[in-house]
Amino acid sequence: MNIISIQNNIGLPKYKQIILSIEKAIEDEKLVKGDRLPSVNKVCLAFSLSRDTVLLGYEELKKRGIIYAIPGKGYYVKSVEITIKQKIFLLFDELNIFKEDIYNSFLNNIGKNVQVDIYFHHFNNVVFQKLINDSIGNYTKYILMPTNLKDIVGSIKTLPVGDVIILDQTNADLKSYPAIYQNHQKDIFEGLEKGKERLAKYEKLILIFPGFREPIGMKMGFEDFCTAHNFESEIIAEFTNRKINAGDLYIIPNDRDLVRVIESARDQNLKLGTDFGIISYNETPLKKVVANGITTISTHFEAMGKILAEMVLKGKKEQIENKSSLIMRNSL
C-alpha cells in the first residue's frame, strides 16, 4: 500500500490522488510492467474511500492504457508510458484521401501526450459493432464515423456518453452526442445555388448516386434544387455504357464514376465545360489539374480535423456543422 498516498483538504479529488500516486510509483520504478496493483477493497479500507472513488481512479488509468484488469484477479500495470494523458479510439468508415486529410489535421492539432488508435469499419455493421465492443473501457475518447449504417445506436450507447464524439454524419438518434458533421443536403443545395448562373446553360442535371455509401442528404439536396429552379433532372445508380448528350451536367460523388464520365466524353469527342459539364463532390489536389480543372462541392476536411481536436482538448459538447463551398473550375 506504500505506493498510494491520500491526503485530505488539499483541493485535489482523491481519485486523482490515486492516479498521481500510481504514476509516481511507475516513474520511480516501484511499479513495473506486469505488477499487480493493490486491490480496490484494500485501498478502500486503508484510506476510508468508497469503491466508486477507487474505481474511478483505476478506470481512468485503464482508459489511458497504463493498467488493465483481469476479472476476478485485479488490476495490473500494462504500460509504463505515463506521459500519455489521452488515448483516443478513432473509427473511420474507410481509408481515402479525405479521411487522410482529416486524420493528419487532427494529429497536427491534438498536441503531444495523446495516443490515437485508428480503425475502419468498411460500411459493415458487424465490424462496427465488434470494434466498439472490443474497445469499451480502453479509451478516454471515442470518435466515431457511423456514416449511414443501420441499427448501430445500441452499440454506441454502450460507451460512456461523455466520451463519444460523432464525426462526419449524424442523425436524430445521435443528437445527445457532440459532433462535427457535414450537412450534405444543405451543402449540395447551396453549392448548386452558387453555380446557378453557369448551370443555366445546361439542359439536364444528372446525379450519379449509387446510394450504398453516399449520404442520402446529397440526393435530397439535389432534388430540392432541381425542383426549386425547374431544372430537368435524373438520378442514376451508376455510369456504364451510357451516352453523354450535349447539354448534360453530371454531379458525381464517386471518383471512379468521375473517371468513367471523362473517358466516355473523350471517346465521344465532347469538350468538358462546353458540350457538357461536371461537378464533383469532395475536393482533392488532383481535381485542380485533371481535365483542365474539375469544379467541386466540398467540405473543408482540414478544418474538420482541427475542430475535432479542439472538441477533444476543450471538452466541447456542441454539434458543429462543418463549412462547405463550391470551388469553381473549367468543368462548369
Side-chain angles (χ1 to χ4, degrees):
M1 295 301 299
N2 60 356
I3 67 169
I4 295 178
S5 174
I6 301 293
Q7 300 179 56
N8 296 317
N9 304 317
I10 63 169
L12 187 66
K14 291 178 179 177
Y15 83 92
K16 288 191 176 181
Q17 293 186 48
I18 293 172
I19 293 171
L20 291 173
S21 294
I22 292 171
E23 287 180 339
K24 185 69 165 57
I26 291 173
E27 188 176 26
D28 293 343
E29 297 185 353
K30 293 179 181 178
L31 282 174
V32 298
K33 188 174 180 179
D35 280 355
R36 186 173 185 266
L37 299 184
S39 71
V40 173
N41 288 337
K42 284 183 179 180
V43 179
C44 290
L45 290 171
F47 299 103
S48 299
L49 300 176
S50 70
R51 284 184 59 84
D52 287 345
T53 297
V54 180
L55 284 171
L56 190 59
Y58 278 16
E59 287 301 307
E60 182 67 23
L61 289 165
K62 181 172 176 281
K63 288 178 180 180
R64 288 168 52 195
I66 295 173
I67 68 174
Y68 68 101
I70 299 179
K73 291 188 177 181
Y75 291 86
Y76 296 81
V77 177
K78 181 178 182 180
S79 171
V80 295
E81 185 52 76
I82 60 173
T83 59
I84 300 298
K85 300 302 181 183
Q86 292 236 46
K87 190 179 176 191
I88 297 173
F89 176 87
L90 178 58
L91 180 55
F92 279 163
D93 48 16
E94 63 180 353
L95 178 62
N96 56 38
I97 192 168
F98 320 124
K99 307 310 181 320
E100 187 176 347
D101 287 344
I102 296 172
Y103 178 69
N104 288 333
S105 177
F106 179 64
L107 290 186
N108 289 337
N109 288 279
I110 197 63
K112 298 179 180 179
N113 303 329
V114 176
Q115 177 181 323
V116 181
D117 294 343
I118 186 169
Y119 301 88
F120 301 92
H121 60 71
H122 301 290
F123 301 90
N124 186 306
N125 285 46
V126 174
V127 173
F128 183 97
Q129 292 171 2
K130 184 178 187 307
L131 289 170
I132 294 291
N133 292 339
D134 291 348
S135 73
I136 293 173
N138 295 328
Y139 294 89
T140 58
K141 281 285 182 288
Y142 298 83
I143 300 170
L144 311 177
M145 188 177 284
T147 60
N148 54 5
L149 292 177
K150 306 296 183 184
D151 303 320
I152 57 169
V153 176
S155 292
I156 296 175
K157 286 183 176 179
T158 62
L159 299 171
V161 66
D163 295 341
V164 175
I165 299 174
I166 302 300
L167 180 62
D168 195 44
Q169 293 186 57
T170 189
N171 56 58
D173 292 330
L174 300 173
K175 63 182 179 181
S176 61
Y177 297 99
I180 169 72
Y181 67 96
Q182 298 185 63
N183 185 335
H184 293 92
Q185 183 173 359
K186 176 183 173 184
D187 290 349
I188 197 166
F189 184 91
E190 291 186 350
L192 294 173
E193 280 277 354
K194 290 175 182 175
K196 188 172 64 172
E197 186 174 331
R198 291 200 191 184
L199 290 176
K201 70 179 181 181
Y202 295 99
E203 297 177 8
K204 187 177 185 180
L205 275 56
I206 302 165
L207 173 66
I208 304 177
F209 189 78
F212 171 57
R213 300 180 178 182
E214 294 74 17
I216 190 66
M218 287 184 184
K219 178 175 178 286
M220 296 167 66
F222 173 78
E223 290 173 332
D224 291 345
F225 175 82
C226 293
T227 299
H229 298 288
N230 296 313
F231 274 97
E232 183 181 352
S233 63
E234 183 181 2
I235 298 174
I236 61 177
E238 58 183 352
F239 186 91
T240 53
N241 301 318
R242 182 183 175 98
K243 179 183 177 183
I244 300 174
N245 295 314
D248 285 348
L249 172 72
Y250 283 87
I251 299 164
I252 311 173
N254 187 295
D255 285 352
R256 294 182 188 277
D257 286 315
L258 175 62
V259 172
R260 293 187 185 109
V261 172
I262 292 173
E263 288 178 336
S264 180
R266 181 193 59 198
D267 294 341
Q268 293 181 235
N269 294 315
L270 296 175
K271 185 176 180 181
L272 180 58
T274 301
D275 300 320
F276 79 109
I278 287 176
I279 298 176
S280 180
Y281 209 89
N282 291 328
E283 175 69 355
T284 66
L286 198 58
K287 291 173 187 177
K288 298 176 184 178
V289 295
V290 167
N292 203 25
I294 301 293
T295 296
T296 62
I297 296 173
S298 182
T299 197
H300 301 278
F301 294 106
E302 290 185 6
M304 183 176 281
K306 182 178 180 180
I307 294 170
L308 181 62
E310 291 176 356
M311 292 181 76
V312 172
L313 294 173
K314 298 180 180 179
K316 291 184 177 181
K317 300 300 181 184
E318 307 107 297
Q319 291 203 336
I320 301 172
E321 184 178 307
N322 204 49
K323 292 182 179 179
S324 174
S325 59
L326 174 72
I327 303 171
M328 198 79 75
R329 297 196 180 102
N330 291 324
S331 71
L332 193 57

